[in-house]
Amino acid sequence: MYSTITARNTAAQDDESFKGEDAREGLTAIISVKLQEAQFEGQTKTKLGNSEMRALVDAMVSEKLMTFFEENPQVARTIIEKAQTAARAREAAKKAREMTRRKSALDSASLPGKLADCIEKDPTYTEIYIVEGDSAGGSAKEGRDRRHQAILPLWGKMLNVEKARLDRVYGNDKLTPMITAFGAGFGDDFDLAKLRYGKIILMADADVDGSHIRTLLLTFFFRFMRPLIEHGHVFIARRRCSRTKRARMSATPIPRSSSATASLKWADNVRVQRYKGLGEMDPQQLWETTMDPEHRTLLQVTMEDAAAADETFALLMGEKVEPRREFIERNAKYVMNLDVIREENYAVFENDYGYGAHPRFQSIWHRRIWSRFPGYGNDKFTASAAEKIKVAADCPDAQVYFLTGGTQTNMVVIDTLLRPYEGVVASSCGHVNTHEAGAIESTGHKVLTVPHKNGKLDADDLREYVQTFYADASHDHMVFPGMVYISHPSEYGTLYTRNELERISAVCKEFAMPLFLDGARLGYGLTADTDVTLQDIAKLTDVFYIGGTKCGALCGEAVVFTHGNMPRQFVTMVKRRGAMIAKGRLNALQFDALFTDGLYEKICAPAVKLAIKLRDGLKAKGYRFALESPTNQQFIIVENSRLPELQSKVVYSFIEKYDAEHTVIRLATSWATTEEQVDELLSIL
């Protein structure tokens, strides 16, 4: 009883104008009464006219409600605090209405100081631009047509009225200038007949912040000036994103089979200029691209279904986070042309080549990339890098050639080593079979697959495949197994042991098939828990490549023919496949650095260490793995129901469906991954 009385007395002291309507705001109650000869006030029958019932209901509700408040003092206090808030809002609204009534909308003295008004007074012909920022406002004021265009710059952070109390809305210094400028009031007192401008045009930057500002303004209009939208007075300025001078353009159709749809031919002396922010434009440019009624584009804001609009604003701009997140997750797939990625909001473990290059390369390029050197790999850096690789591999007879990317390397090497009637043997999950987009077979060579075991090619399965081929009397009519492809690590992050490589190498020698090892992630394989060294690979293969793109370099792969066995026509084939670059030192400079002071292993080792930490942490949390990977790639089994949640927090790679209820996803660390990022990922998962 004491708590209730105290709360009641506090309310009386804080707000003497406390009224019943304040307590009833937002309250919904159902009272069921039964009586004979019911009478109603008015034809709408919204109010019961039997006076005797009021006394009975009042007495019953008062008694029961008092009892409830005595037993639940915290609820009583909450109700009173809510009523106080409603009272403050009511008083603020009253003051705002009084202020609006006192001021004449057409009296220039009452208009906001930042408003640059127009000369015309007839709202049929006038328009006001609501502009993001003083800088853009200055350009708009100078570039406008003063006769009928008014400019009102906004500044500071806009208030989200969907989350704010009414008293904050009524007294907000960002909204008041608009209310005063429009001259029609707002809320229950809004009068469309007093509107000073026929068009209200929102003009903001063409970025995420600009979109947010437009949304905040539309929320305010919908909640407090809805007739503006209902009667088509609100517009969004849409700017041309580029501007050309002295331009003549012709379009030549191209067949549908082509990747392009049109060829654009521009005349000489054409200047193309791009704009994002309003502040980037001078007054003339802003007029030409956005404000000139003869050439501009305005998007009219309309509302077909008020109930649906109300629900949407409450969902996207309201207090409740979960419904908004569900909406975003449900509709994110429909987003197009998104050019802003805020990685700070995500744990990024999608791949190991997303980051740029190790800082060591920055100083190297700064010193050497701009100087003049011979082209096509005939420079001193290429020779130096090749020599360092031969020393590291303990392979003095090796021949080294630098290419730019993994797919390019696989295609050129395989195409060069095979005769026209031969194919390459690989495991069913091998990269050349699954993720090369048909690059190998586009050269005319077929990929011949053998079932994998933990992502790897098994020597016994390989021998059986080749023996079966030659045992077929009609094998001359078939694609010959001409070479063998393996990757280390495999597509599933697993590693060959030295014994497994020796056995595969023996089968290749038995059937005179060159053994080619894809080392796109070789650095992570060499620094993992393994008995295979770079020297072992050089000894047991006929050709392999050392991956740079995924192992700290910006790009580049080093192809190593191990026994002086580079085909004489290899350079010609590189040229034929469009893989030769004139400035060959671009790739060589990186490998020269990678194989100086053991940098290649130093870059890759931490990624493997962090991947193992991630694996062990996930195991402790009860996660299952598709297979055991000792390298920087980890493959976990996740319930399908959890995928939407993970997609909102983690950037990962989809691998394959595990079963009807589960999916295998890949989490990859890289040379740039930090321990803090792994800890964050473990906390998310």
Side-chain angles (χ1 to χ4, degrees):
M1 183 69 177
Y2 175 80
S3 303
T4 305
I5 294 173
T6 301
R8 188 185 297 135
N9 291 337
T10 301
Q13 295 171 3
D14 292 346
D15 193 347
E16 296 181 356
S17 60
F18 193 80
K19 297 181 178 181
E21 63 186 83
D22 301 324
R24 293 191 296 271
E25 183 180 286
L27 177 65
T28 301
I30 299 176
I31 300 176
S32 178
V33 298
K34 296 181 180 179
L35 75 160
Q36 296 178 345
E37 300 180 0
Q39 300 174 4
F40 296 94
E41 297 181 3
Q43 294 298 318
T44 58
K45 298 183 178 180
T46 57
K47 188 174 182 181
L48 190 64
N50 299 75
S51 59
E52 68 276 12
M53 289 304 302
R54 177 166 184 163
L56 293 173
V57 172
D58 284 351
M60 182 66 68
V61 171
S62 177
E63 179 185 350
K64 298 297 183 183
L65 195 60
M66 183 61 69
T67 301
F68 177 81
F69 285 160
E70 296 291 346
E71 296 174 353
N72 301 274
Q74 187 57 46
V75 175
R77 184 175 287 106
T78 302
I79 292 174
I80 292 175
E81 290 174 353
K82 178 185 175 299
Q84 287 180 289
T85 301
R88 286 194 294 269
R90 175 173 51 79
E91 287 298 316
K94 180 180 178 182
K95 292 177 182 178
R97 288 194 297 268
E98 291 175 350
M99 179 187 67
T100 303
R101 294 189 184 109
R102 286 196 302 268
K103 293 182 178 181
S104 170
L106 298 180
D107 182 8
S108 61
S110 68
L111 296 176
K114 289 182 176 286
L115 174 68
D117 206 5
C118 55
I119 299 172
E120 178 65 56
K121 301 301 180 184
D122 188 346
T124 306
Y125 306 104
T126 59
E127 54 191 38
I128 183 171
Y129 280 84
I130 310 298
V131 185
E132 176 188 352
D134 286 336
S135 176
S139 297
K141 290 176 182 179
E142 294 184 36
R144 65 180 174 136
D145 186 338
R146 299 171 182 269
R147 294 172 299 174
H148 68 279
Q149 292 180 330
I151 308 295
L152 179 63
L154 299 176
W155 74 100
K157 185 179 179 181
M158 290 295 299
L159 179 70
N160 181 4
V161 300
E162 194 71 24
K163 295 182 179 181
R165 301 194 312 265
L166 286 177
D167 57 317
R168 290 189 61 201
V169 175
Y170 291 129
N172 187 264
D173 61 351
K174 308 298 188 302
L175 300 175
T176 301
M178 281 193 300
I179 299 169
T180 306
F182 296 170
F186 75 119
D188 295 337
D189 295 326
F190 185 82
D191 186 355
L192 193 63
K194 297 179 180 179
L195 186 65
R196 301 182 65 242
Y197 307 98
K199 289 186 175 70
I200 296 170
I201 304 170
L202 310 183
M203 189 164 65
D205 289 349
D207 56 15
V208 174
D209 290 333
S211 298
H212 188 214
I213 289 172
R214 286 192 295 270
T215 303
L216 291 171
L217 286 170
L218 290 174
T219 304
F220 173 67
F221 293 158
F222 180 79
R223 291 301 184 200
F224 294 93
M225 297 181 176
R226 188 176 300 186
L228 288 180
I229 300 175
E230 294 173 338
H231 292 83
H233 291 283
V234 182
F235 297 82
I236 294 173
R238 184 177 183 180
R239 303 192 309 283
R240 302 198 303 270
C241 294
S242 62
R243 181 170 170 266
T244 63
K245 285 190 174 181
R246 301 181 62 186
R248 297 190 304 273
M249 182 178 67
S250 62
T252 304
I254 293 179
R256 288 184 177 272
S257 59
S258 175
S259 59
T261 58
S263 173
L264 302 180
K265 299 179 179 179
W266 295 87
D268 295 334
N269 301 320
V270 174
R271 182 165 67 89
V272 180
Q273 188 171 351
R274 170 196 172 273
Y275 306 111
K276 178 192 75 71
L278 297 170
E280 298 176 5
M281 305 182 190
D282 59 38
Q284 183 63 27
Q285 293 169 336
L286 189 57
W287 168 259
E288 292 177 358
T289 61
T290 314
M291 301 180 70
D292 185 357
E294 297 295 326
H295 301 97
R296 72 186 180 186
T297 300
L298 296 180
L299 303 179
Q300 189 175 35
V301 180
T302 60
M303 181 176 63
E304 296 180 358
D305 188 335
D310 186 280
E311 182 180 350
T312 301
F313 276 107
L315 174 68
L316 299 180
M317 307 300 292
E319 293 281 359
K320 296 182 179 179
V321 177
E322 284 304 320
R324 181 159 57 250
R325 177 180 295 170
E326 292 174 2
F327 176 90
I328 294 171
E329 292 173 351
R330 187 169 61 253
N331 293 278
K333 60 184 178 182
Y334 302 114
V335 175
M336 300 178 65
N337 302 320
L338 182 66
D339 62 353
V340 177
I341 300 176
R342 299 184 182 273
E343 288 191 352
E344 64 268 21
N345 298 328
Y346 296 89
V348 183
F349 289 81
E350 183 180 15
N351 54 53
D352 42 20
Y353 51 84
Y355 292 95
H358 191 274
R360 177 77 69 87
F361 301 127
Q362 297 179 11
S363 60
I364 294 173
W365 286 325
H366 182 73
R367 295 197 313 269
R368 297 172 174 173
I369 208 68
W370 310 112
S371 303
R372 182 184 179 278
F373 293 98
Y376 302 104
N378 297 312
D379 56 273
K380 63 180 183 180
F381 307 114
T382 300
S384 174
E387 189 60 35
K388 290 178 179 178
I389 289 173
K390 288 193 288 184
V391 171
D394 191 20
C395 192
D397 296 330
Q399 296 161 289
V400 183
Y401 194 92
F402 298 100
L403 291 167
T404 303
T407 299
Q408 178 193 81
T409 301
N410 286 334
M411 182 174 66
V412 171
V413 170
I414 292 173
D415 188 30
T416 304
L417 290 180
L418 291 178
R419 298 182 178 94
Y421 53 86
E422 292 177 330
V424 55
V425 183
S427 72
S428 57
C429 69
H431 200 68
V432 293
N433 185 53
T434 58
H435 290 100
E436 298 282 26
I440 308 304
E441 296 190 346
S442 73
T443 66
H445 301 290
K446 187 176 178 60
V447 179
L448 310 170
T449 60
V450 177
H452 73 90
K453 293 181 179 178
N454 290 328
K456 298 182 290 185
L457 182 67
D458 181 75
D460 292 337
D461 292 341
L462 175 62
R463 177 180 279 105
E464 183 181 356
Y465 178 88
V466 180
Q467 288 176 338
T468 302
F469 171 83
Y470 284 108
D472 192 327
S474 61
H475 67 265
D476 286 332
H477 302 273
M478 302 160 61
V479 178
F480 278 63
M483 64 180 293
V484 175
Y485 166 95
I486 60 175
S487 61
H488 184 81
S490 73
E491 198 74 358
Y492 287 103
T494 52
L495 295 173
Y496 290 91
T497 65
R498 183 163 42 209
N499 179 260
E500 289 172 332
L501 286 180
E502 289 172 347
R503 294 177 63 236
I504 292 174
S505 180
V507 175
C508 290
K509 287 181 171 62
E510 179 182 347
F511 294 96
M513 300 181 298
L515 176 59
F516 172 39
L517 186 143
D518 179 334
R521 295 185 169 92
L522 187 57
Y524 303 120
L526 294 174
T527 54
D529 185 11
T530 178
D531 63 349
V532 173
T533 64
L534 185 62
Q535 295 81 8
D536 294 328
I537 292 173
K539 179 181 177 181
L540 296 172
T541 66
D542 297 282
V543 56
F544 69 96
Y545 80 86
I546 303 170
T549 303
K550 295 181 173 70
C551 299
L554 184 64
C555 60
E557 325 294 330
V559 183
V560 183
F561 289 90
T562 58
H563 306 114
N565 55 331
M566 176 188 288
R568 288 187 298 174
Q569 72 278 19
F570 184 75
V571 175
T572 303
M573 291 297 291
V574 171
K575 186 86 171 183
R576 184 169 181 259
R577 288 298 172 192
M580 182 176 289
I581 59 174
K583 297 176 182 177
R585 65 185 184 277
L586 291 174
N587 294 322
L589 274 169
Q590 298 178 89
F591 278 93
D592 191 55
L594 286 171
F595 281 84
T596 300
D597 300 328
L599 181 62
Y600 193 57
E601 289 79 9
K602 291 177 182 177
I603 285 177
C604 296
V608 175
K609 181 180 179 181
L610 290 174
I612 301 305
K613 177 181 178 178
L614 176 61
R615 182 190 68 189
D616 295 343
L618 292 175
K619 283 184 176 180
K621 287 176 170 281
Y623 280 91
R624 295 184 297 152
F625 289 73
L627 40 74
E628 192 78 10
S629 168
T631 61
N632 70 311
Q633 303 178 89
Q634 299 297 321
F635 302 82
I636 63 173
I637 302 170
V638 181
E639 294 179 359
N640 294 339
S641 59
R642 287 207 61 201
L643 292 178
E645 175 194 359
L646 290 182
Q647 289 169 355
S648 67
K649 301 176 181 178
V650 184
V651 182
Y652 60 83
S653 292
F654 167 85
I655 297 301
E656 61 190 19
K657 290 291 183 183
Y658 185 78
D659 55 34
E661 289 79 32
H662 297 83
T663 296
V664 179
I665 67 172
R666 182 187 72 176
L667 301 171
T669 59
S670 76
W671 63 270
T673 304
T674 65
E675 191 162 7
E676 290 75 17
Q677 290 172 327
V678 171
D679 291 337
E680 179 187 4
L681 179 60
L682 287 171
S683 68
I684 293 172
L685 295 174

